[in-house]
Amino acid sequence: MKKTLLLAVGLTLIFLSCKKDNNDETTPGGAFPKTIVEETIGSIGTVKTTETYTLSGNKITAFERKVVDNGTPTTDEVYTITYNGELITAISIKSNSQSNRNYTYNFTYNGNNLQSIVRNDNAQKISYEYANGKISKKTTESGSEINKYSYTYDKNKITMIAHSSFAGFNDYYIYSLNPDGTVVSLEKATYVGAVPDQNTKGTCTYQYDNKPNIYQRDLFKYLAEIELISNYNYYGDYYRDPLIRTAPHNVVSYTKNLHNNTQADYKDLENATRTFSYQWNSNNTPKSAEYKKNNAHKATYTYTY
């Protein structure tokens, strides 16, 4: 599997470096759900995911994530978040299930700029370099594997080149942005030598509503960063790519058309058109939502406060 797909997560941190002065972990409307329940149609039944959040003021200080697959519990994890003022300094994961993830990810800063995320056993690390207030380079380390990423900026575009430790796997990604910072499209292709192979070019396109996105928090950006260290095909995904997941507004339509990506995937990552229909409370917080893939029902979401 290509290891270059991690770079998408750096997009979020580009914007983090510019927006820390307004980062108080609050959400528009001032409310975050105490519980989010997702019920997804699986291969042999329903997969129910329940996330229960603990807040102190507007900060999420902990949450528990439980997954029951067709009646069988598979995941039970507790996340604890530590802050210094408004900055997250650690995220600890304690597993009470077969996932067996028991780690603490520590964060270091220079001023308000994130410098690194390091797992407590040093098996995973992400580090960042800045130029003119924006991320110019990123390095990821997972065991002995090291990948490097570089970034250039135009008015409404961010271009990233992924320099993989695997020969021939250098990719480019171009994120085109709306004026409000949401991503309107992603273009991706693989280099053959120094020239992008146009036969590998693919795109993702996105449409949004005008409602506030409850996931506009550093916590969800960093959780996506951590997941992307070992899940390299999450780039461009409406939920797993941190720039899209934590956008100002909610994705209501997402069309994925990437090269060689048509085979059905149990993580729901294959090419398709996906739509999301929301029901709203009077204070602009989501009440429920339905997810359809290629016009077929896929999942429902319920939010309680």
Side-chain angles (χ1 to χ4, degrees), residues 120-140:
N120 62 301
D121 60 359
N122 291 314
Q124 293 182 336
K125 180 179 180 180
I126 311 172
S127 57
Y128 308 91
E129 298 179 31
Y130 295 80
N132 300 318
K134 299 178 181 180
I135 289 179
S136 59
K137 296 179 181 179
K138 182 175 78 167
T139 302
T140 64

Side-chain angles (χ1 to χ4, degrees), residues 108-123:
T108 60
Y109 299 85
N110 182 3
N112 286 332
N113 287 334
L114 180 65
Q115 298 294 300
S116 66
I117 303 174
V118 182
R119 204 168 80 179
N120 62 301
D121 60 359
N122 291 314

Side-chain angles (χ1 to χ4, degrees), residues 43-109:
S43 58
I44 58 173
T46 299
V47 180
K48 183 177 181 180
T49 302
T50 303
E51 295 180 344
T52 304
Y53 291 86
T54 300
L55 285 85
S56 176
N58 283 315
K59 293 188 179 75
I60 297 172
T61 56
F63 70 92
E64 184 174 20
R65 182 174 184 268
K66 293 185 175 183
V67 180
V68 178
D69 189 344
N70 196 31
T72 301
T74 60
T75 302
D76 185 354
E77 295 177 336
V78 176
Y79 294 71
T80 303
I81 301 93
T82 305
Y83 296 84
N84 181 6
E86 303 299 334
L87 299 177
I88 293 174
T89 57
I91 298 175
S92 297
I93 306 171
K94 176 178 173 52
S95 173
N96 299 310
S97 60
Q98 64 190 38
S99 67
N100 198 31
R101 299 201 304 171
N102 293 282
Y103 303 114
T104 295
Y105 290 85
N106 296 300
F107 298 71
T108 60
Y109 299 85

Side-chain angles (χ1 to χ4, degrees), residues 165-178:
S165 57
F166 293 85
F169 283 164
N170 293 341
D171 294 341
Y172 81 74
Y173 298 75
I174 300 175
Y175 285 74
S176 297
L177 310 177
N178 290 310

